[in-house]
C-alpha cells in the first residue's frame, strides 16, 4: 500500500465519467485551473499542491482530440514540475490508436508517437480500454494496463439467453477479438470480408462463415462514422441472418452522420461503453451505455494500494 | 556543403509563406498527404521518399495551434520512420512561447514542453522568429536559430526619417527588446508600467520616460487581443505624445476582436511580419506586412550548404 | 547516395543466405572474428577497420536463438566502439516476434524487448521479413523496414493457375494476412477457429468459411512445431476440401518433430522462404524454398544509395 | 510525509549558512570526506551510509565557482552510487546563471549546461534563489524551486517607512524584477538605460523615469564588480535624486574591487542576502546581510514532509 | 526501512543457492513460470502480482550463459511491465566480466554491454561478486554492489595457521587482488609472468618473487579451463615451492576438461565459492565449496531495510 | 573520407602541444574567445562559424584541472548549439582517471563521471593517452581511442641497448602495464609491493622479483607528487640494483614538490611525454620530454579521412 496520498484530477474531456469515478472512489475531484485563450492556446495546472502525491488524471479522446492531447501534455508538465510522486493517466479511449502500423509507405505510427509524447511530458503509467490492437501495449516504455470491456458485454448478452448466436467481426482485422467474445458466449464466429476484386471495380462484401437463421452480434472496438457496421448489417440480412442484429462496441466515437447511419441500420440494440462521452442528441432509443466507472474506480484503488488487477479483469 | 538532397515541405498552417519561400529557394514544395478525419484525428505523411534527404518543414502557430502542433508531431514521426537524414523545423511563430516561466505556483512551462515534444517526435533543429524571451533558446536540447525581425523593422522606420522618436515598450517585460530597437534607430526609450495599487482597486497605467511632443513606436513581440497596445496608445496620447503613433510587432496573432481594437486605437501605421498568416478580413487600411520569406529562404540555403548565418542576421 | 563505403558482414546464423546476398550485391563478406569459448561466452569483432563505414550485418533467428541474439549484441557493440557510421541489421526472421502482447497477466513483450536491446547495443536500422504482427514496427524507436514475402508467394501460386482457390488462415490471428494473399490471388478466404467449449473439454476445430471441393492454401507467417497446420489440413479434408492442399509460410522454424508432422499431413506442396536456414535432413520431397536473397540485395543497395524501397516492395 | 530519513550535507562553499540551516532544522550536518589533492583533483564522499535516505546537499557559487561545481558533481556521483533515494541540491546562488541566452553568435548557454550536468551527475531537484531570469526554470528537466528574496527586501524597506520612494533598475534587463518590488512597496519605477550612440562614442547613461527629489532603491539580482551600480548611483544624483540612495541585491558576488566601488558610491545602506558568503574583509559599515537560512530550513522541512511551499514563498 | 514487500525470485541458473538464500532470509521463493520452447525461445514471468513490490531476482552465469542472460532480460521486462517498484538483480557470477577492455583493435567491451542491456531491460541495482576488475563498477549507470569473497577465503586459510605462506597471482593482471589477500594473511606475494619472447617461440613462464620452500596459495577470480592454474602449480614446484599448493578462486566456471587438469595438478586443496553451481560429477575429493548464501541473505536484508552494507563487507 | 571541413581548436590548457599539432596537421588553430571573469566564471566560444564542420578540440588536464574541465564543457556546449557536425575531444591526459573504482565504501567513480559529463556537454568521441586502467574505455558510451605511449618509450630505450634490463612497476596496480613494456624490451619484470603489516605499523616496501646488478626502468602511467617513485628508487638500490635507474611515465603531473623529490632520487634519466605541459621551472637536467604531437596529428588525420588507427598504434 502506498503511504502517499491519492489525488484524482479530471481534464476537460469527460466530466460525467470523472464524477462517477470520484463518487465510487469516495475521493473528490481535485480542482484544476484550465483555460483556453482566445489565441487557441491552453493553460492548465492544479489549483492545490501535488507535492509527493500520487496523481491520477482522467482524460479521454473526444471529437476534439488534439485539444484533449495537448491539454493532457500541459497538465503532465505542471504535475511533473510541481513534484508529484507518480502520475497515472487514465485514458479510457486512447486517441490515434488505429494508426498502429505502416500500412502504406511512409506512414507515421501515431499511436506509438502518442505513447512517446505522454512519456516525455511526464506520464508514469497509462490505464486504457481496448486498444485497437493488443500489440500497442508494446508501444509504451512504461507500464500500461489495457483493460477490456469484453466481459461487460458478455454479461450483457448472457442475460438475454439468445439461442443460435453468432458473433460477427465487421472486418478481418477484428476477427481475433470477435473470436474471444464468441468463446465466452459459446457462440459461433463469422467475419465480414470486404474485397475490391480489381482496381476500378467497386468493393464486394463477402461473408466468411454462416449466419443463416441466426442472431448476430456485430462486435468491434469502436464505431466511428458507422458506415462499415451499417453495411455489415445489410450484408448479414442478405445472407439470411435473423433480423434482430445487435451492435456492440467499446468506444462510441460516432463522427459525422454516424447516428443517422446507425438509425437506418435498424439494429435490435446498440451497446457502447462510456469510454467516450456521447452527447444527448446522439443518443438513439435503442442505444445502451454500459459504464466503465466501476471498473476504473476499482482499478485505481488497487493500483494505489498495490493490489493485483487480475481479479478485477478476469473475475 | 551537404551532399544530401534538400526537400522542402509545408504543413497546412501557412501556405502563402511556403509558396514564397519555395519560389525564392527555387525548390518546389514536396507534396504531403495531410487529412483530418471526421473523428478529429490527423493523418500526415510525405508522398515521396525522404530516405537520406535533408528535410525542411514549415509549420507556424495559428489560431488552431493545437492542430498545428499535433500535425507537426505526426509529420516528424513519419519523416523519422522513413529514414530522413536530418529534419529541420521552420516555425516562424513558436506556439506557447509566452508560457516560459512559473509565474504562479504549479504553472507548466509549456514553451519548454513544446521544445521537448518536438525533440521526441523527431526534430533535429528549429528555426524560429523572436521567441517571447531570449532565454527560451536554452529550452532546446538541440540547435535552435532564433531569428529576429528587429532589423526589418529598423529598415522600415529609418526610411521615414522621423525626428524626436521614442520606442515604447507596452509593458516592463518588453523593455529590453524595445531598448534594442531604440538603439538602432537612435531613439529614446519609454516604458508603460501597469500597476494595481491595491487589490480591489483598478489598474493604473504609469509611463516611465517622457514622450511629450514626440513620435512613438509601440513595439512588442506580438499582438494578441490588442487590448494592451490599444490602452498604451491612449496613455501615450494623454501624456502628450504626438498623435502619430506607430505599432510594430513581429507576430500578428490577432485573436478575438483584436482588429476592432486596433482600428479604434487609430495608429498612424501598424507593421507586422508574416510569421503568422493574417486573414484578408483582418487586414486594416493602415496595416503593413513585411515578409520574412527572403530571410528564411536565405537561412535555409545557408544551413543546407553549411554557410554561417551571422551575415544574414547582422548584415 | 552515401559517400561512405558499404561493408557487409554476416553473423554465424545463416552463411548460405549471406553468400547469396554477397554474390548479388557484388560485395564480399567482410571477415568477422567470432569464437565461442568453452565457458559458453561469445567473442565477436570485425577483423578490419569499420571507421566511418556503413555497416550491414546479417543475422537471423535459428534454433539457437539466444546465441544468435547475444552474438549480434556483441557484434553491434564492437561496431559502435570502432566508429562505424551507421549499423543496419538485416534480420530476416526476427526472434521472439510472437511474444508481441500481454496475453495473460504479467507476460513480457519480448519482441519489444529485443527491439530495445538492439537499439541499446548499437543498431540504427533493422530490415526484417513478415513480423508476426504489423504493429511490431512501432516497437522500434529507429527506422525498421518490415518486408513481406507475400508477393513472392503470389507469384509462385499464380503460375499454377489453380481454379476455385481458397486461402485458409490456420487461426483467427492470421486472418488478416491470409486475406491479403487471397486478394492478390483473387481467391476466397477461410479461417480455422479453434475453440475449447468448456475447461475440461478438448478443443474443437471449427471452420469459418467454405472449402468444399476447393483447393486450399494454408498460409501463415511461420511453421514452428507443425502441429496446427497438420491439424488444419485434416480439418479441411473433413470439410470436403480438394485433397491437394498447399502450405505456404515465410519462416521455416521447424522445431521438434515438425518435419514428421508435415510429412504425414501429406501436403501437395510446402513453400517456405529461406529467412531461416533449413537443414538438409529437414527437407521433404514436396518442400520448395523461395530465396529472399534477391530482394535483400536490392534493399541493401537502395538503402545505401538513398533510393526508395517502395518500388522493390510493391513492384 | 516521507518515511525516509533526511540527511543534510554541506559542500565546502558556505559553512556558515550550512550551520545556520542545520541549527534551524535541528538536524546535524552529516559528515563528508572532502579533499583537494596537490594535483588539483577533488575527492568527495559521505562518511556514513546514505542508503535509502533523502539527501539534501548545500553548495553555492563562490569566487571559486568551478571548484564549487566540480565538487558538487563528484558528491552527486557518490550519493547516486551509494543508493541515496533522492538527492536535493540547495544552491542559493546558481553559478553561470547570467549566461542564459545566445547574445552574440555561437555563445554557449552555460546556465542550461549547468542544469544538464547537475542532472547527469545525479541531482533530482534544485532549490535556488533569484535566478538571473525566471525563464531559467525551464532549463531544468527535473523540478526546481526558484525562491526569491524580494519579500525579505520588502520587509526590510517597509519598516523604514520612506516617502517618495522609487525602485530603480540599474539596466533595462532588470526592469521586470524592479517593477515587482516597486509594486509591493507602492513605489515608483525608474530604469537606467545605457546606450552607446555610435561605435566609437562612449556610452551614455539615460534615465527612463523621474527621480527628482525622491529616495531611490537600486535593485538588482546580484552585484558583481560593482561598476554599474556605482555609476547608476552617480547618475541618479545627477538627475536630482535624494542623496540617500539604497542598494539591494540578492547575491553578493563582489568580485575584484567591488567593495572599493561600493564604498565610494556612498550608499545610505547596502542590503544583501547570504546566498553567497561575504568575507569579513569585504564587509562595509553600511552593509546589511539578511539571512536566507530561515526560509531554506522551512523549505527543506516542507519538501521532506510533502507540505506545499507556497505559504512559505507568498506568506 | 522500505514499506514495500520483498519478493524473492530465482531464475533457472542456480536453484541450490536460491534455496539456501530463501531459507536464510526466511522468505519463500516466489514462483516463476519459465519455459523453453522447442524453437529455442524462452518464456518467463512471475506467477503472482509484483505490483509495488521490491523484487530481488537471483540469476548467475553458468555454462549456458547466453540462455542465462536472455532469461534474465525477459524476466526483467515482465517485472517492469507488471509495475514492480524496484528490481534488484543478484548475479553472483557476472557473465562476460573478463571482456572488460579493448585489448586488440575493435574488440567489444561485452561486460559493459551486459551492464547496459540489464539497465535497458529494467534492472535498478546489481549485486555481484568479485568482478574481473574493480573498474567494472563504473560500467553501471545505476548502483552496483561488488561483493568480494576475499574475507571468506582469508577466514578459511587463517584457521590452517600455515607458516611461510605466499599468495601467488597466476598472471600479472591478478596481482592486485592477490596482494590484497596476502595483506590479510600476512603472507608474501609472488606473480607468474608468462612471456612469449618472439612470435614463433613458445611461451615462457617466469616467476616474479620467491617461493622456495614456502607454501603457496594460487589465487584468482575464477578458474575456467584450468590450464593456467595447472601450469602455474608446475612452475611453482619447479621453483622449489613446498609441494602443498592450494588453489583459491571465487568463481568455479570449470569449462571443458578443467576438472581433469585440476586433478592432475595435484593441489593440496581447492577452494571455490558457490557463485557458480558445480555439478556433482565435477566435484573432486580435494575440492571445498564455501557458500556465499549467508552473505547474500544479509545483503538483501540490509538493502531492503536501508541498513549499510559496510559492516557486512568489512566485518 | 569526410566531405566536411576539419576545424582544429585548442582550449587554454596546453598551447605548445596545440601549436605542434597544428603545424604537423598543416591546419591553423581556429580562434576561440575564452575569458575568465573576475567572479571566476569562464566564457568560451568559437570566433567563427562551425556549422557542419568536424571539430577537433584539444584540452588536457593540468594543475588547474577543474577549470580545464569546465572550460571544455562550456566549449562543447557552444559547439553543439552552433551546429558542429561532430565534436572530437583530444584529451591527452584525462583528468580524474585514477578515481576509477570504489576502493572504500561510497566513493565516487569520478573518471566515469567525467566521461558522462563530456557526453552530456556534447562530445562525440574522445582521443586520450594511457588511461589509468584499460577498463576505463568502458566508461564511455561513445567511441574512445585510448592511445598508449608505450611504443614511444620502447623506441627510446631500445636505442640505449641496455643489457640486463628490468622494468619495475612502482606498485602492484601498475604491474600489467610494466609487463607489456618488459615484453617489448625483452626485459625482466619486478614489482614494488608496499604493505602495512598492522594498523599502527609503518609501511614496508617489498620487492617482488630480482633486480640485483641489473639496470631498472621504473615505469608508471603518471608521476604526481613523486613520492612513490622516489621511494621505489631507494628500494631498488637497497636490493642491489645497478645505480643507473631510469624513470619513464606518460603523464608528468608533477604536483607539490615532485621536482625536488625527483632530483634527490638521482635518476639516470627521467622520460615523460608532453601530454601534460611541464613548466620550464620544473624541468630537470636529466629530464627528457617525448612529444605525442606526431602521433596525435596522424590520428586526427586518419579519423577525419576514415583511415584505420591500428597502423599508427601498432606500427
Amino acid at each position: 500500500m502506498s503511504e502517499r496520498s491519492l489525488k484524482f484530477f479530471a481534464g476537460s474531456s469527460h466530466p460525467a465519467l470523472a464524477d462517477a469515478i470520484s463518487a465510487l472512489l469516495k475521493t473528490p475531484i481535485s480542482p484544476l485551473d484550465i483555460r483556453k485563450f482566445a489565441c487557441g492556446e491552453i493553460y492548465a495546472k492544479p489549483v492545490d499542491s501535488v507535492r509527493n502525491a500520487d496523481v491520477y488524471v482522467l482524460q479521454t479522446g473526444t471529437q476534439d482530440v488534439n485539444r484533449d492531447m495537448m491539454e493532457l501534455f500541459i497538465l503532465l508538465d505542471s504535475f511533473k514540475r510541481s513534484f508529484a510522486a507518480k502520475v497515472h493517466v487514465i485514458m479510457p479511449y486512447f486517441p490515434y490508436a488505429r494508426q498502429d502500423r505502416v500500412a502504406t509507405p511512409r506512414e507515421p505510427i501515431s499511436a506509438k508517437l502518442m505513447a512517446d509524447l505522454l512519456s516525455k511530458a511526464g506520464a508514469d503509467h497509462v490505464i486504457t480500454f481496448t486498444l485497437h490492437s493488443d500489440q500497442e501495449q508494446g508501444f509504451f516504455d512504461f507500464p500500461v494496463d489495457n483493460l477490456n470491456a469484453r466481459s461487460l458485454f458478455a454479461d450483457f448478452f448472457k442475460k438475454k439467453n439468445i439461442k443460435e448466436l453468432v458473433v460477427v467481426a465487421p472486418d478481418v482485422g477484428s476477427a481475433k477479438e470477435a473470436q474471444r467474445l464468441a468463446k465466452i458466449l459459446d457462440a459461433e464466429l463469422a467475419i465480414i470480408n470486404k474485397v475490391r476484386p480489381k482496381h476500378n471495380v467497386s468493393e464486394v462484401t463477402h461473408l466468411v462463415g454462416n449466419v443463416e437463421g441466426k442472431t448476430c452480434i456485430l462486435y468491434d472496438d469502436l464505431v466511428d462514422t458507422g458506415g462499415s457496421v451499417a453495411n455489415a448489417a445489410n450484408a448479414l440480412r442478405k445472407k439470411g441472418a435473423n433480423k434482430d442484429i445487435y451492435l456492440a462496441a467499446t468506444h462510441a466515437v460516432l463522427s459525422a452522420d454516424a447516428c443517422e447511419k446507425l438509425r437506418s441500420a435498424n439494429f435490435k440494440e446498440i451497446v457502447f461503453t462510456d469510454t467516450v462521452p456521447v452527447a444527448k442528441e446522439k443518443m438513439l432509443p435503442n442505444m445502451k451505455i454500459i459504464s466503465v466507472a466501476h471498473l476504473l474506480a476499482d482499478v485505481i484503488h488497487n493500483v494505489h494500494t498495490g493490489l493485483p488487477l487480475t481479479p478485477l479483469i478476469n473475475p
Side-chain angles (χ1 to χ4, degrees), chain A:
Chain A
M1 155 140 192
S2 175
E3 83 292 357
R4 297 186 296 243
S5 63
L6 182 165
K7 293 223 165 198
F8 179 61
F9 292 93
S12 54
S13 58
H14 202 337
L17 184 58
D19 287 340
I21 293 172
S22 164
L24 290 161
L25 261 184
K26 298 191 174 63
T27 302
I29 302 176
S30 294
L32 291 171
D33 180 356
I34 299 184
R35 300 177 225 170
K36 191 167 176 189
F37 294 122
C39 65
E41 291 185 3
I42 292 166
Y43 174 95
K45 68 163 199 175
V47 172
D48 303 312
S49 174
V50 295
R51 208 169 276 264
N52 259 1
D54 278 338
V55 165
Y56 293 78
V57 56
L58 177 78
Q59 183 82 318
T60 199
T62 69
Q63 293 282 324
D64 206 351
V65 63
N66 296 319
R67 187 216 53 186
D68 299 332
M69 290 307 293
M70 291 291 277
E71 183 186 296
L72 180 56
F73 296 150
I74 289 169
L75 272 172
L76 290 172
D77 190 70
S78 72
F79 289 137
K80 185 179 63 182
R81 294 192 174 276
S82 304
F83 231 128
K86 289 275 176 196
V87 183
H88 307 261
V89 172
I90 301 145
M91 195 159 230
Y93 172 52
F94 194 84
Y96 287 97
R98 278 172 288 175
Q99 187 59 45
D100 61 356
R101 62 196 181 91
V102 180
T104 69
R106 285 175 292 286
E107 278 189 348
I109 306 186
S110 304
K112 162 72 169 165
L113 172 66
M114 293 306 131
D116 279 349
L117 299 184
L118 282 174
S119 168
K120 186 75 182 176
D124 295 303
H125 177 203
V126 163
I127 299 166
T128 188
F129 262 90
T130 318
L131 288 168
H132 186 61
S133 56
D134 294 342
Q135 285 76 13
E136 295 183 42
Q137 295 163 317
F139 291 2
F140 294 81
D141 289 324
F142 52 89
V144 59
D145 285 300
N146 179 25
L147 308 175
N148 193 300
R150 194 189 310 130
S151 63
L152 301 176
F153 289 125
D155 292 347
F156 180 86
F157 286 108
K158 271 180 190 161
K159 288 186 195 137
K160 297 190 182 288
N161 243 315
I162 306 168
K163 306 290 166 199
E164 303 265 13
L165 189 64
V166 189
V167 176
V168 183
D171 60 41
V172 176
S174 312
K176 187 82 197 167
E177 178 64 16
Q179 182 207 32
R180 289 175 190 144
L181 182 62
K183 259 188 200 169
I184 308 179
L185 294 175
D186 209 359
E188 282 178 55
L189 174 68
I191 299 156
I192 306 282
N193 181 17
K194 285 165 286 188
V195 183
R196 191 180 305 277
K198 275 172 205 161
H199 219 284
N200 310 31
V201 179
S202 72
E203 206 177 64
V204 179
T205 300
H206 292 293
L207 180 76
V208 183
N210 176 19
V211 297
E212 218 174 321
K214 292 173 185 169
T215 302
C216 295
I217 303 171
L218 264 170
Y219 181 51
D220 212 347
D221 60 330
L222 60 81
V223 172
D224 185 348
T225 61
S228 66
V229 287
N231 292 342
N234 291 338
L236 292 175
R237 288 192 181 104
K238 273 189 203 152
K239 296 287 181 180
N242 184 327
K243 72 180 180 12
D244 284 359
I245 298 177
Y246 293 86
L247 170 63
T250 306
H251 308 298
V253 176
L254 304 181
S255 304
D257 60 347
C259 291
E260 211 40 63
K261 283 184 188 146
L262 291 184
R263 189 194 316 268
S264 53
N266 211 3
F267 288 104
K268 172 75 176 175
E269 268 184 301
I270 297 171
V271 201
F272 293 130
T273 75
D274 57 351
T275 55
V276 179
V278 179
K280 270 187 193 156
E281 63 274 17
K282 288 195 173 172
M283 286 298 296
L284 300 175
N286 60 342
M287 214 182 265
K288 294 261 155 58
I289 307 286
I290 303 177
S291 180
V292 296
H294 268 93
L295 184 47
L296 283 175
D298 287 351
V299 163
I300 291 171
H301 177 265
N302 284 21
V303 166
H304 191 62
T305 52
L307 296 174
L309 300 195
T310 317
L312 303 175
I313 294 168
N314 308 308

